[in-house]
Amino acid sequence: MTTRQLPAAPIESDPAPEKSPRPRRRRVKRVLGYSALALAGVACGGYLWLDATSDVHSTGQAECTRVTPVATAAQTKGQAEKDHAAVCGVLDSMADAWDRNDADAYGKKFTENATYTTFVGTHYTGRKDITDAHRALFEGFLDVRFLSPDTAVVTSRGDTYTGDEPDELSKIQTYTLVREPDGEWRIAAFHNTQRQSVMERVSFIFSPDTRPEAEK
């Protein structure tokens, strides 16, 4: 009996294991994480630089009476000086009234139908509404202009705070005062604007001609 040996079946080797994508993903995540940290560092550094280089040059006068007023042709020098003192007196007495917590005295410095707009856009109408609203402090007077013998506009820098005065006053405040029939000067409109120092600095960098003359 003849025995025939069948050829041995080839032994299949195990396929080479595929490389896991996990290490590659980890590397990508690591690179992205480092990039994000680097960008955050650059952004933070840039913001701090912009903030540090955005100092206000025109800080104004500590006293309203030290500002040289712009008079109208209808005013004599003597009348302009008298009206200037009266306008500044209104603002001084406003601050004094709030220091005494005398809301009624504060409110009397506004006309009955006065308007008051805060830097966040809150708009108050009428003396009572304004009196009940909030306190504003006045520190750096920039400009006093008489639009007519009975109308004046005062621009100042100020802020609201408790305790020590802040190093930088962050608001621009505009007052429109009128001389009423009883001869007293009162505030007819008040507008408060928050200064965005970093955005202001950015705009000056990209468009230098927008910088006010007083800030050059």
Side-chain angles (χ1 to χ4, degrees), residues 7-190:
I11 300 175
E12 296 183 2
S13 60
D14 294 335
E18 295 182 2
K19 292 184 178 180
S20 174
R22 290 183 180 178
R24 181 180 298 175
R25 290 176 183 173
R26 290 196 191 100
R27 285 196 297 271
V28 171
K29 288 181 179 179
R30 190 176 297 116
V31 170
L32 290 176
Y34 290 152
S35 299
L37 287 174
L39 289 174
V42 170
C44 183
Y47 180 90
L48 293 175
W49 176 77
L50 288 169
D51 188 51
T53 56
S54 61
D55 293 338
V56 174
H57 297 157
S58 180
T59 56
Q61 296 287 345
E63 298 292 336
C64 177
T65 52
R66 294 182 184 176
V67 179
T68 301
V70 178
T72 67
Q75 289 174 299
T76 64
K77 181 179 179 182
Q79 186 61 48
E81 291 175 350
K82 182 179 178 180
D83 290 340
H84 179 205
V87 166
C88 292
V90 172
L91 302 181
D92 288 340
S93 59
M94 263 177 66
D96 290 341
W98 273 111
D99 287 340
R100 301 191 311 270
N101 295 320
D102 189 344
D104 291 333
Y106 177 85
K108 287 179 181 178
K109 301 305 172 183
F110 292 86
T111 62
E112 286 288 349
N113 62 348
T115 58
Y116 189 116
T117 304
T118 71
F119 76 92
V120 295
T122 305
H123 186 74
Y124 301 98
T125 302
R127 178 182 290 165
K128 184 179 184 303
D129 202 19
I130 295 167
T131 302
D132 294 340
H134 64 280
R135 172 182 182 178
L137 299 181
F138 322 102
E139 298 291 345
F141 292 91
L142 297 171
D143 186 49
V144 178
R145 289 179 296 127
F146 288 94
L147 305 184
S148 75
D150 298 317
T151 307
V153 174
V154 179
T155 307
S156 71
R157 291 194 181 279
D159 219 325
T160 53
Y161 59 90
T162 57
D164 296 335
E165 180 182 332
D167 294 333
E168 182 177 320
L169 302 175
S170 65
K171 301 174 185 178
I172 292 288
Q173 300 160 332
T174 303
Y175 309 83
T176 301
L177 296 94
V178 296
R179 193 201 321 263
E180 297 205 291
D182 63 359
E184 294 293 325
W185 285 89
R186 294 187 179 90
I187 299 168
F190 170 82

